[in-house]
């Protein structure tokens, strides 16, 4: 999803500074700033924030994290997530949970209107959930989270909405804090998906005024904004008049726009510029919860239908060193392929489950019958070479540094006898499903941002004819794994929940169904004259509604 900058070998002159910057481990959405402090002048109202972003999604609201970033600017959610991981009120002033944990009753604010004048009420909330879960108008991410659990939504009175579940789902409130679950005007939703693609209507701090494709989105201040979340830095309308959300995919151009003053904030500071940026700008870095960038190994297709070969591939490369070299220490290694290190209940022991050990990889391949080699050094079995293809969405999911990690892995895997073919997919090929069928790849590189380990249910629920799950890209069907994750999702005791989630991670690791690489990481650099830009916790969305310039 994100390009992080040009790939440049470490330069000795900046190596010390880079190392110093990387010493402080990044944390998630804790509001902690590094780099230089904000200017200490008098805060002023007004002004225009020019923000240099990276990826441009096809629509303003959908299931990609890039959509969540936009949603934060013009939508409100029922609840919000604090930096400490606590769910706090937003459009819902409070909620009740039934003793059987199957019904969540939300009590709504009575003084909120969408920017088209429509009143926020329980019927509006019901319309949103029904629309997001309808197969004709669905939001894919909302469906992935709620589809297996959602039973019904009911309007109890004008300002009381009840969401009913088929089975207990403890991550629910945390899940609802994500931008995908933002509440839109039901009047606007009735226009249909095409109109809502470019001109969605919410009750948020800004109004999406104009979208100039391949250039920028202009958000203007909602002067009547009165529904900031409980963890906002202030209540009321934004201080600034506009946010111009510019799409600057090229990292050199993006960082240059900040240093030249044509942008006030940029997204994803290029790693080669991190040390320089730390001496000139406010920096914030967010290690995204959920699943790290990882390789899912297709267990239904030879040679990865043999767990010995999957494990051999995992042992074959020094992934930690590859990540450190490509990202210059700015982005951390995450060897656990099922959860990111910033996700609650992440098991850090699994980061080193497959340390670099080519001798062990060779023994496993010998045991699996891949004993002969051709004149290229590629192993053979029954006359067939040990060939695998790894698909990655170049520029959309995997940036240049990530591609460098894959190239390093491929080279090292070749030394033990794999012939690895790296296949860059375009953004349209990736999201269009070209490589969704099982017979189109052996390994698929991707991540999934999420504030909860309940994500495991999305990525590892079985992929069955009567219960399809396109997000299980390893095609790994294991009833025990699914049952363990569901027990974690249902457990009310945090310690018990952690045990289930940890057991699930260990199954995935033991089966080498996924190999972790590096965290999905968001960073922003902010000019000193702009203060109080922050990153929220659920998805790492930049928040501009509290920001103001100083003079």
């Amino acid at each position: 999803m994100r390009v992080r900058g040009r790939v440049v070998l470490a330069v000795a002159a900046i190596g010390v500074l880079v190392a110093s910057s990387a010493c402080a481990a990044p944390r998630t959405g804790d509001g902690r700033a590094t780099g230089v402090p904000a200017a200490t002048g008098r805060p002023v109202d007004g002004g225009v924030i020019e923000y240099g972003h990276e990826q441009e999604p096809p629509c303003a609201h959908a299931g990609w994290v890039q959509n969540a970033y936009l949603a934060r600017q013009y939508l409100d959610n029922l609840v919000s997530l604090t930096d400490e991981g606590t769910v706090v009120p937003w459009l819902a002033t409070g909620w009740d949970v039934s003793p059987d944990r199957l019904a969540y009753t939300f009590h709504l604010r009575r003084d909120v209107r969408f920017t088209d004048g429509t009143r926020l009420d329980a019927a509006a909330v019901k319309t949103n959930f029904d629309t997001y879960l309808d197969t004709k108008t669905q939001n894919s991410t909302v469906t992935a989270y709620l589809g297996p659990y959602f039973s019904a939504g009911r309007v109890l009175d004008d300002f009381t909405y009840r969401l009913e579940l088929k089975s207990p789902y403890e991550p629910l409130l945390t899940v609802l804090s994500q931008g995908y679950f933002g509440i839109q005007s039901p009047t606007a939703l009735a226009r249909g998906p095409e109109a809502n693609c470019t001109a969605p209507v919410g009750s948020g701090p800004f109004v999406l005024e104009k979208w100039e494709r391949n250039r920028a989105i202009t958000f203007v201040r909602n002067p009547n904004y009165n529904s900031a979340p409980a963890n906002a830095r202030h209540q009321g309308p934004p201080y600034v008049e506009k946010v111009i959300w510019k799409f600057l995919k090229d990292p050199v151009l993006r960082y240059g726009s900040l240093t030249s003053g044509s942008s006030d904030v940029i997204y994803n500071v290029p790693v080669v510029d991190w040390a320089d940026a730390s001496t000139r700008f406010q920096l914030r870095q967010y290690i995204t919860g959920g699943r790290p960038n990882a390789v899912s190994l297709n267990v239904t297709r030879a040679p990865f239908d043999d767990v010995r070969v999957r494990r051999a591939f995992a042992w074959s490369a020094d992934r930690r060193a590859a990540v450190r070299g490509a990202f210059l220490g700015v982005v951390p290694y995450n060897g656990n392929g099922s959860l990111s290190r910033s996700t609650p209940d992440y098991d850090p022991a699994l980061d080193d489950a497959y340390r670099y050990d080519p001798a062990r990889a060779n023994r496993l391949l010998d045991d699996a019958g891949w004993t002969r080699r051709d004149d290229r050094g590629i192993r053979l079995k029954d006359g067939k070479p040990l060939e695998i293809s790894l698909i990655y969405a170049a520029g959309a999911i995997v940036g240049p540094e990530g591609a460098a990690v894959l190239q390093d892995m491929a080279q090292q895997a070749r030394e033990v006898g794999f012939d690895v073919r790296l296949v860059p997919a375009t953004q349209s090929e990736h999201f269009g499903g070209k490589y969704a069928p099982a017979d189109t790849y052996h390994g698929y590189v991707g991540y999934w941002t999420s504030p909860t380990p309940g994500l495991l249910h999305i990525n590892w629920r079985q992929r069955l004819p009567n219960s399809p799950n396109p997000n299980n890209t390893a095609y790994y069907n294991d009833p025990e794994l699914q049952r363990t994750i569901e027990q974690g999702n249902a457990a009310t005791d945090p310690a018990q929940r952690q045990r289930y989630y940890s057991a699930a991670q260990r199954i995935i690791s033991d089966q080498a169904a996924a190999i972790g690489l590096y965290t999905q990481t968001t960073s922003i650099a902010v000019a000193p004259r702009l203060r109080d830009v922050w990153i929220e916790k659920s998805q790492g969305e930049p928040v501009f509604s509290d920001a103001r310039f100083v003079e």
Side-chain angles (χ1 to χ4, degrees), residues 39-43 531 550-551:
T40 56
R42 183 178 68 86
R531 60 191 299 176
V550 297
E551 62 178 13

Side-chain angles (χ1 to χ4, degrees), residues 117 455 515:
L455 162 77
I515 299 172

Side-chain angles (χ1 to χ4, degrees), residues 253-310:
L253 177 62
R254 195 166 61 249
Y255 190 64
S257 76
L258 183 65
T259 57
S260 69
S262 61
S263 291
D264 305 295
V265 188
I266 65 164
Y267 175 88
N268 267 3
V269 181
V271 296
V272 296
D273 296 314
W274 187 262
D276 179 68
S278 69
T279 66
R280 303 170 67 179
F281 305 104
Q282 306 168 73
L283 294 177
R284 285 186 171 81
Q285 191 174 35
Y286 172 84
I287 304 300
T288 311
R291 188 178 184 186
N293 282 280
V295 186
S296 296
L297 301 183
N298 184 348
V299 304
T300 65
R301 189 179 182 196
F304 284 151
D305 56 346
D306 186 332
V307 67
R308 294 170 296 183
V309 181
R310 298 199 298 273

Side-chain angles (χ1 to χ4, degrees), residues 122 198 224 242 289 412 424 536:
T198 55
N224 302 314
K242 291 184 180 179
Q412 290 186 318
E536 65 80 48

